[in-house]
Amino acid sequence: MLNVKRATVIFAALALIPNIGMANTDECPEMSGVLDVVQPKGTGEKINQTKLVEEVGKASASTEATRGLANELKDSLPGNPEAVVADLMITAYCEFLMTSQSDVALDESVENYQKVIYNDVFADPAGTVSETDSRPDGWLMGN
């Protein structure tokens, strides 16, 4: 028998967790959400999104190339935590898949790329996000 009160609490909790709503939707988060948190303020607007998407897509063929690109981004965006750079790369990778790949399992591919970013490139950048510097709204999936 369905407990209506419990179901209401569960649905209310799910509504407050943006990651749950975006997971497994075959959609990408808006890159603007990530660019909005790039510091210093205004730097995100100067990033050539098309070029970034191409570079991330090209580098995604190898972990070493991805690591090299991550280091370039960290150097060109000083003062930003690794989590922001990781979010930028993952969002750009999702956009790369959406614009250049056909017949790809988007959610699975992005999740696999995210694991490479977290485990092999940045060693879990989620740990660098503080309470006041949280991931932008609309993030595709959680850790």
Side-chain angles (χ1 to χ4, degrees):
M1 186 167 156
L2 178 65
N3 183 330
V4 176
K5 187 175 181 178
R6 183 172 185 225
T8 303
V9 169
I10 291 170
F11 287 126
L14 290 176
L16 296 174
I17 304 172
N19 297 344
I20 298 295
M22 290 295 291
N24 297 318
T25 61
D26 281 333
E27 294 179 8
C28 293
E30 292 293 323
M31 191 178 291
S32 61
V34 179
L35 294 174
D36 287 346
V37 298
V38 172
Q39 296 298 322
K41 196 69 176 158
T43 302
E45 293 176 3
K46 298 175 186 172
I47 294 172
N48 182 331
Q49 293 179 37
T50 304
K51 183 178 178 187
L52 177 64
V53 168
E54 290 172 8
E55 289 178 357
V56 166
K58 196 181 328 177
S60 68
S62 116
T63 301
E64 279 306 310
T66 299
R67 189 175 292 120
L69 179 59
N71 287 332
E72 288 177 29
L73 286 169
K74 284 188 335 188
D75 290 344
S76 66
L77 298 169
N80 287 281
E82 288 184 344
V84 171
V85 176
D87 285 356
L88 189 59
M89 292 181 72
I90 294 165
T91 306
Y93 180 71
C94 188
E95 192 65 33
F96 167 75
L97 292 177
M98 289 289 288
T99 58
S100 66
Q101 305 292 312
S102 61
D103 202 29
V104 64
L106 184 67
D107 293 330
E108 182 180 348
S109 297
V110 173
E111 187 171 359
N112 289 337
Y113 184 77
Q114 176 176 303
K115 287 176 185 174
V116 168
I117 292 290
Y118 286 172
N119 299 327
D120 301 325
V121 175
F122 287 118
D124 192 14
T128 66
V129 178
S130 70
E131 292 298 318
T132 58
D133 185 23
S134 60
R135 296 186 185 280
D137 289 338
W139 183 239
L140 185 63
M141 60 193 72
N143 281 338

